[in-house]
């Protein structure tokens, strides 16, 4: 049990580093000038070395499991503690929690609370992030074919956790400089999703750790790629575009409305 607690603490530190490192170095902004300063930053997103190391370590942890008996043993021990020690029925809350931080971005925007990007750009970044993480996650699932703890297939990595952390980082990027409450709640929701995936016996510890890193990097990469893609689709100044994501089980789609 002590070994489990130690490793779980390491995991929580790795997963939380991405937000805590960024918030610790964030510029203090006067609320009266918040709107102007936020829009001046555009799509520029800085990543501290600590943030990059924390997210990279999360992904590396999962891959290290394939050649490590101790990490495999830790997966088994974590499953026993979280899923088997006290028999329980499945809580399907994780199916919805994974989208909660991302949905919060659009709720806040709809309420008129300005984020770093416009609602249209938030939609585009969110869609692009989901495309990146789904391609990555599904490719790894099909190539590794790791069994889930419950005996079903395609365990590695956790798509629910990747989605949750991608959404949490979107909320952090858009509203983290307005208040630290937003990223704290977003990442708390993401961590809860990761825990529930293990609690429901659907994923190993290594699955959710890797999913967290993939989700984080998917959103960060989207902030870098999106303005380049937007430039291609916005060659005419007189046109406007709206990109809206859509979801179904294990798939993602998009709808674009363009007016001239």
């Amino acid at each position: 049990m002590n070994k489990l607690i130690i490793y779980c603490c390491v995991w929580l530190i790795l997963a939380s580093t991405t937000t805590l490192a960024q918030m610790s170095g964030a510029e203090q902004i006067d609320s009266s000038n918040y709107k102007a300063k936020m829009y001046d930053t555009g799509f520029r997103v800085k990543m501290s070395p600590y943030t990059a190391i924390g997210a990279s370590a999360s992904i590396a942890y999962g891959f290290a499991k394939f050649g490590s008996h101790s990490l495999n043993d830790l997966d088994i021990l974590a499953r026993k503690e979280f899923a088997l020690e006290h028999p329980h029925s499945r809580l399907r809350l994780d199916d919805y929690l994974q989208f909660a931080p991302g949905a919060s971005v659009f709720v806040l925007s709809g309420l008129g609370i300005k984020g770093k990007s416009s609602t249209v750009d938030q939609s585009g970044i969110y869609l692009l992030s989901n495309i990146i993480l789904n391609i990555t996650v599904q490719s790894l699932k099909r190539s590794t074919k790791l069994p889930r703890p419950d005996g079903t297939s395609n365990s590695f990595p956790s798509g629910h956790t990747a989605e949750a952390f991608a959404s949490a980082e979107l909320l952090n990027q858009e509203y983290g400089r307005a208040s630290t409450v937003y990223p704290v709640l977003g990442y708390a929701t993401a961590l809860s999703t990761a825990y529930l995936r293990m609690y429901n016996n659907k994923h190993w510890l290594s699955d959710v750790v890797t999913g967290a890193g993939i989700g984080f990097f998917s959103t960060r990469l989207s902030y870098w790629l999106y303005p380049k893609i937007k430039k291609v689709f916005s060659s005419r100044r007189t046109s406007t575009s709206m990109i809206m994501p859509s979801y179904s089980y294990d798939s993602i789609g998009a709808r674009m409305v363009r007016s001239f």
Side-chain angles (χ1 to χ4, degrees):
M1 183 62 184
N2 290 334
K3 183 178 180 181
L4 175 63
I5 293 174
I6 293 172
Y7 275 101
C8 285
C9 289
V10 171
W11 168 57
L12 288 170
I13 292 171
L14 291 175
S16 302
T17 296
T18 53
T19 300
L20 297 177
Q22 181 173 337
M23 289 193 295
S24 65
E27 177 186 0
Q28 298 296 321
I29 299 178
D30 181 72
S31 59
S32 62
N33 296 323
Y34 170 70
K35 179 177 177 180
K37 289 194 176 185
M38 286 298 289
Y39 280 95
D40 284 344
T41 61
F43 292 98
R44 290 173 291 178
V45 179
K46 296 181 180 180
M47 185 184 298
S48 72
Y50 301 105
T51 302
I53 291 171
S56 299
S58 295
I59 297 176
Y61 179 95
F63 284 99
K65 167 249 183 82
F66 289 96
S68 172
H69 291 295
S70 61
L71 293 184
N72 275 283
D73 291 342
L74 183 61
D75 273 351
I76 295 171
L77 182 59
R79 181 198 180 204
K80 179 182 177 181
E81 292 292 334
F82 295 140
L84 304 181
E85 189 72 22
H86 306 286
H88 55 267
S89 58
R90 182 184 177 188
L91 293 176
R92 303 193 66 91
L93 187 61
D94 48 342
D95 291 337
Y96 309 100
L97 276 181
Q98 60 176 322
F99 301 112
S104 299
V105 171
F106 300 105
V107 169
L108 291 170
S109 183
L111 292 174
I113 302 175
K114 300 296 183 181
K116 183 163 63 174
S117 313
S118 66
T119 304
V120 173
D121 290 334
Q122 289 171 352
S123 300
I125 293 167
Y126 187 46
L127 171 63
L128 182 58
S129 174
N130 273 269
I131 290 174
I132 294 170
L133 77 85
N134 273 278
I135 290 175
T136 304
V137 167
Q138 295 305 320
S139 296
L140 287 172
K141 284 181 180 291
R142 289 180 172 85
S143 60
T144 58
K145 298 180 180 178
L146 186 70
R148 295 176 186 265
D150 63 0
T152 55
S153 59
N154 297 337
S155 181
F156 179 82
S158 169
H160 281 65
T161 306
E163 173 62 41
F165 274 82
S167 297
E169 181 57 18
L170 178 70
L171 180 61
N172 177 42
Q173 288 296 321
E174 291 298 323
Y175 292 101
R177 295 176 70 183
S179 172
T180 56
V181 172
Y182 296 124
V184 167
L185 289 178
Y187 272 93
T189 301
L191 287 169
S192 297
T193 301
Y195 170 76
L196 285 172
R197 295 310 284 166
M198 295 184 290
Y199 178 85
N200 289 328
N201 203 31
K202 298 299 291 184
H203 281 290
W204 306 101
L205 176 63
S206 55
D207 297 339
V208 299
V209 173
T210 301
I214 291 174
F216 172 82
F217 273 126
S218 295
T219 294
R220 282 301 185 96
L221 181 59
S222 296
Y223 272 94
W224 180 73
L225 285 175
Y226 178 75
K228 305 178 190 311
I229 296 174
K230 182 182 178 183
K231 186 176 181 180
V232 174
F233 284 96
S234 303
S235 55
R236 294 178 59 181
R237 288 180 175 270
T238 56
S239 65
T240 58
S241 301
M242 171 72 76
I243 303 174
M244 296 300 294
S246 61
Y247 300 95
S248 61
Y249 184 73
D250 280 342
S251 64
I252 184 169
R255 179 175 61 182
M256 174 178 283
V257 178
R258 189 176 179 89
S259 60
F260 299 88

